[in-house]
Amino acid sequence: MTPEFERRLGDLAAGEVALCVQPSGQRIVDALPDAAFQNLLVVTTDGHLGQLETRIEERGGDPRRVGVIPVTGTEVSYDGPLWVTERVAPSDLTGVSIQFSKAFEHVEPETGWVVVDGVGVLSMYVAPERLFRLLDTLVSAIRARNAHGVLTTASGVLSEQASTQLRGLVDEEVRLD
């Protein structure tokens, strides 16, 4: 990650949400400020939770302070310190919303962070308007809780219309490509 990107996310105020567009394969946890690892909820389309745990530890974070909602079509095999909800299929936005509501109770006002990692992947499974409604709901919850929010997508995955809609939900866009 570039220092500029890390600085910009570190400047994200409580109640603000950023859209991060990054090259495929890059992990957003590498760019989060250290403070995010004190109270972090990650909605991820990557079912490799052992790798996520390792990245958090390499960043100096405590995996026991990180909650994860795995949104993937395959079973998740993980037995570690991350707090993990039930797996949800990427086409089941109602299930994502339910797991988010349960896990979001643990996100602290002012200091908590929520990362939705894989917006582009979700867009491959559901109609754009359904995904937009879910993200609008999540962003509204983040703002109401006065937490910090980050939506991520890989470069080139979303249509220009979907990207424009997402920009309307967030306070800033950070591009890594």
Side-chain angles (χ1 to χ4, degrees), residues 29-150:
V29 296
D30 293 335
L32 293 175
D34 293 342
F37 297 104
Q38 295 303 308
N39 183 234
L40 175 62
L41 174 61
V42 180
V43 180
T44 184
T45 56
D46 183 347
H48 299 99
L49 302 186
Q51 292 175 5
L52 177 61
E53 176 189 337
T54 298
R55 292 301 308 136
I56 291 167
E57 289 172 335
E58 288 173 354
R59 288 287 322 276
D62 181 353
R64 293 173 297 191
R65 295 181 157 278
V66 179
V68 181
I69 302 171
V71 183
T72 177
T74 59
E75 289 302 317
V76 174
S77 178
Y78 175 77
D79 184 25
L82 295 169
W83 182 80
V84 182
T85 70
E86 293 178 25
R87 177 193 64 86
V88 183
S91 60
D92 182 7
L93 297 187
T94 300
V96 172
S97 184
I98 289 168
Q99 292 303 324
F100 179 82
S101 293
K102 291 176 184 178
F104 190 63
E105 293 176 12
H106 302 283
V107 174
E108 296 292 329
E110 307 291 329
T111 59
W113 283 73
V114 176
V115 173
V116 180
D117 187 20
V119 172
V121 173
L122 290 174
S123 75
M124 296 176 200
Y125 289 90
V126 297
E129 60 276 359
R130 288 186 61 222
L131 179 57
F132 181 79
R133 279 196 307 271
L134 172 70
L135 295 174
D136 185 41
T137 299
L138 300 185
V139 166
S140 294
I142 291 165
R143 290 186 193 288
R145 176 73 48 94
N146 207 27
H148 305 80
V150 181

Side-chain angles (χ1 to χ4, degrees), residues 11-24:
D11 290 344
L12 193 67
E16 290 184 341
V17 179
L19 171 62
C20 295
V21 181
Q22 59 192 18
S24 182

Side-chain angles (χ1 to χ4, degrees), residues 153-165:
T153 187
S155 304
V157 174
L158 296 176
S159 69
E160 188 54 43
Q161 180 181 0
S163 295
T164 300
Q165 280 188 309

